[in-house]
């Protein structure tokens, strides 16, 4: 039996950074629904355009489509020994689909909340920049690159800002999170499944807590 590590938390809480560390160190894939949707930028279909418009408004892509994509991605061979979900589930309906999927795949779900107070989040998001080559995540306020706006590992790569990390969309994304995803956190908490880590510290310190949360969760599953 393998594990599905579900990283939860508001947009900007640092789920992507932790998912990347877990992927590198546990050798199981990070599956980010946001990354899957952003990759549609190169597709010209009307469905792709529709999804990109929803994202730019800071709203949620419909549950059926999102769940279908997760189902297909997690059926790939590299996810056989478990995987890390980053940004899914985000609604109670998606959580229901995940439970079904986990049962079919014979995996256990370990939800971990990266907890960050609301006032940190806006700066985390509006300051965020990514390397277009290796996807390394920077922040102009909290983790600037060594040289202005270029990746430390790819000096030819100018950092990019996500289309939905502007002030207006960030506000909608935070309120969407409160309305749609917060109830899910309460649900995992009430079920006694949720582990919470303090997400206000440096990535490595948060990672240590995520690792401890995982070992506690595994013990209670055995
Ligand atoms: P993220 O990179 O996780 O912040 O996601 C960026 C955007 O992609 C979100 O604001 C949504 O528009 C869309 N998205 C990502 N994951 C989901 C999901 N599980 N359900 C619905 N929409 C999603």
């Amino acid at each position: 039996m393998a594990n599905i590590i579900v990283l939860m938390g508001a947009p900007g809480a640092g789920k992507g950074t932790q998912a990347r560390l877990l992927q590198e160190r546990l050798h199981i894939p990070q599956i980010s629904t946001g990354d899957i949707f952003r990759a549609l930028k190169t597709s010209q279909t009307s469905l792709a355009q529709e999804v990109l418009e929803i994202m730019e408004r800071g709203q949620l892509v419909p549950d059926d489509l999102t769940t279908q994509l997760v189902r297909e991605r997690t059926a790939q061979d590299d996810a056989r020994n478990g995987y890390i979900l980053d940004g899914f589930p985000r609604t109670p309906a998606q959580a229901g689909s995940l439970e079904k999927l986990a049962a079919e795949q014979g995996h256990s779900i370990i939800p971990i909340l990266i907890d960050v107070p609301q006032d940190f989040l806006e700066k985390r998001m509006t300051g965020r920049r990514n390397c277009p080559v290796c996807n390394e995540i920077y922040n102009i306020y909290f983790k600037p690159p060594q040289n202005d706006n270029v990746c430390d590992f790819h000096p030819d790569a100018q950092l990019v800002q996500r289309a939905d990390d502007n002030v207006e969309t960030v506000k909608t994304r935070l309120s969407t999170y409160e309305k749609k995803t917060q109830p899910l956190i309460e649900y995992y908490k009430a079920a006694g499944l949720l582990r919470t880590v303090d997400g206000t510290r440096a990535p490595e310190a948060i990672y240590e807590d995520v690792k401890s949360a995982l070992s506690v969760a595994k013990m209670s599953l055995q």
Side-chain angles (χ1 to χ4, degrees), residues 57-159:
R57 290 199 296 270
Q59 293 167 344
L60 293 183
V61 177
D63 286 332
D64 288 357
L65 175 62
T66 308
T67 301
Q68 183 56 26
L69 283 174
V70 170
R71 184 169 272 283
E72 283 169 16
R73 175 62 188 85
T74 61
Q76 288 174 21
D77 213 39
D78 64 340
R80 206 183 37 230
N81 297 320
Y83 47 90
I84 305 143
L85 288 177
D86 157 14
F88 182 93
R90 257 176 157 100
T91 64
Q94 291 180 11
S97 304
L98 178 62
E99 268 168 39
K100 212 166 136 231
L101 191 62
E104 284 167 27
Q105 294 172 339
H107 295 336
S108 319
I109 298 172
I110 306 180
I112 298 181
L113 172 65
I114 304 178
D115 194 25
V116 175
Q118 183 89 11
D119 46 339
F120 264 65
L121 296 169
E122 269 193 48
K123 266 195 162 170
R124 284 258 185 110
M125 283 190 277
T126 55
R128 177 158 56 188
R129 302 289 184 275
N130 284 52
C131 171
V133 179
C134 65
N135 227 6
E136 180 73 12
I137 304 167
Y138 297 89
N139 188 294
I140 59 170
Y141 305 113
F142 306 119
K143 188 199 167 202
Q146 279 160 15
N147 294 308
D148 212 20
N149 213 44
V150 289
C151 178
D152 295 349
F153 310 105
H154 299 93
D156 293 332
Q158 286 284 322
L159 301 182

